[in-house]
Amino acid sequence: MELRQLSYFVAVAEELHFGRAAERLHIVQSAVSQQIQRLERELGAELFDRSPRRVRLTGAGERLLPEARAVLAAAERARAAVAGPAGLRIGTSTGLGAHLDRVLEAFVRRAPDVVVELYSLPVAERLARVAGGRLDAAFVRAVEPVPGVRVHPLWPDPLVAALPATHPLAGRAEIGVEELAGLPLALTERRTNPALVDLVVGACREAGFEPLPGPSPGSLQDTLASIGTRPLWTVVYASHARVLHSPRVAFVPFRAPGLTLPTGLAVPASGPTPHLATLLLACDDHES
């Protein structure tokens, strides 16, 4: 049994989707599937109930999950004890786009000797790790207050509509939400990003329609690939859309006031972590 296999297992158990777990781990989906299958063979038990529509933990998987988390936490503590104090550990998410690049560039200018470690995690895990001291800070959007965490406001992050490049609306300079009423909406599950889902679905209802459900949500890459082949729409953060290259997909801004989520920096409420002041200055530099 390898730490890597346990890490992959935890990622799939938390996402309940092999594609999203692979995206979070920054590896291909086939590598995740292969390692999970090897772990199942070694343990002599199936850990996931796989079907074309959903992935669920089996009883064995539910029993393994807390033990796997404990092993990974112990390994993390062991590495920290040997390596000494970490540099700066930051939680990130898909969609930060050029924002993250500019913040890191500004931070490195101010603190060139500090090692920065990035962890792409679901928002709940980011917040839990900040509260528990396993992350020094994390970028978050429109989160509810969490015990042990405080959030520094940073910048507003507008959303744009992602449409098939061949759709009549694709050539517009901007569109109203109501113009999308006839297209199915492909959107992540609410448990994954409640602020985003509530904003988009709420905007549709305010525009006078209930969004048509699109296909089962997968990774953003899968969703954009689907949009390139059939009439669907979704939303993408404008900062992320600028670095995406999808010739079959058009990214169109919403008409004012648009759809926007505020981005903030979550930090431990117990007190500042090392390099936090420098990181906040870097965030200010990014916006100046």
Side-chain angles (χ1 to χ4, degrees):
M1 186 184 306
E2 301 176 6
L3 289 176
R4 175 180 57 171
Q5 293 171 334
L6 293 178
S7 177
Y8 291 5
F9 163 72
V10 170
V12 177
E14 292 175 346
E15 298 291 339
L16 294 179
H17 191 284
F18 280 82
R20 287 196 297 270
E23 187 174 30
R24 163 176 159 181
L25 294 164
H26 302 293
I27 58 175
V28 296
Q29 182 173 333
S30 59
V32 177
S33 299
Q34 289 169 4
Q35 291 301 324
I36 295 295
Q37 288 169 1
R38 289 177 184 174
L39 181 60
E40 289 177 323
R41 287 197 297 270
E42 184 172 344
L43 294 175
E46 289 191 356
L47 302 174
F48 295 100
D49 180 10
R50 303 164 175 86
S51 74
R53 296 185 62 84
R54 62 187 302 182
V55 174
R56 293 184 296 180
L57 281 167
T58 62
E62 290 177 350
R63 293 190 295 274
L64 177 62
L65 182 56
E67 303 299 333
R69 285 175 171 153
V71 170
L72 293 173
E76 190 174 313
R77 290 194 298 271
R79 281 192 292 266
V82 174
L88 181 65
R89 302 162 300 174
I90 305 175
T92 67
S93 68
T94 301
L96 288 170
H99 285 303
L100 181 60
D101 291 335
R102 290 197 288 267
V103 168
L104 293 178
E105 183 181 354
F107 181 86
V108 169
R109 284 199 306 267
R110 292 176 176 273
D113 297 327
V114 175
V115 176
V116 178
E117 299 176 81
L118 301 179
Y119 298 85
S120 180
L121 301 163
V123 63
E125 178 68 10
R126 270 176 275 153
L127 292 169
R129 290 198 182 195
V130 169
R134 291 183 291 152
L135 285 178
D136 300 304
F139 291 103
V140 294
R141 294 187 181 91
V143 296
E144 295 294 324
V146 174
V149 174
R150 71 177 188 274
V151 178
H152 292 270
L154 293 179
W155 56 76
D157 228 341
L159 294 160
V160 296
L163 304 163
T166 55
H167 194 277
L169 294 174
R172 300 270 293 278
E174 58 181 25
I175 58 175
V177 176
E178 70 280 358
E179 297 179 87
L180 299 168
L183 285 177
L185 171 61
L187 202 59
T188 187
E189 295 178 351
R190 189 180 183 280
R191 66 177 182 83
T192 304
N193 195 334
L196 175 69
V197 173
D198 290 349
L199 176 67
V200 176
V201 173
C204 293
R205 290 170 178 168
E206 287 181 10
F209 70 96
E210 194 71 26
L212 299 172
S216 298
S219 66
L220 177 59
Q221 181 180 358
D222 292 342
T223 299
L224 293 178
S226 296
I227 289 173
T229 60
R230 55 192 290 196
L232 295 169
W233 71 286
T234 191
V235 292
V236 178
Y237 294 105
S239 56
H240 192 41
R242 286 191 286 269
V243 299
L244 291 173
H245 302 285
S246 302
R248 294 186 299 168
V249 177
F251 300 103
V252 187
F254 290 103
R255 187 179 303 122
L259 302 182
T260 301
L261 286 176
T263 296
L265 189 69
V267 300
S270 56
T273 57
H275 317 302
L276 176 59
T278 305
L279 178 59
L280 287 170
L281 286 172
C283 292
D284 291 341
D285 286 352
H286 151 267
E287 286 300 292
S288 61

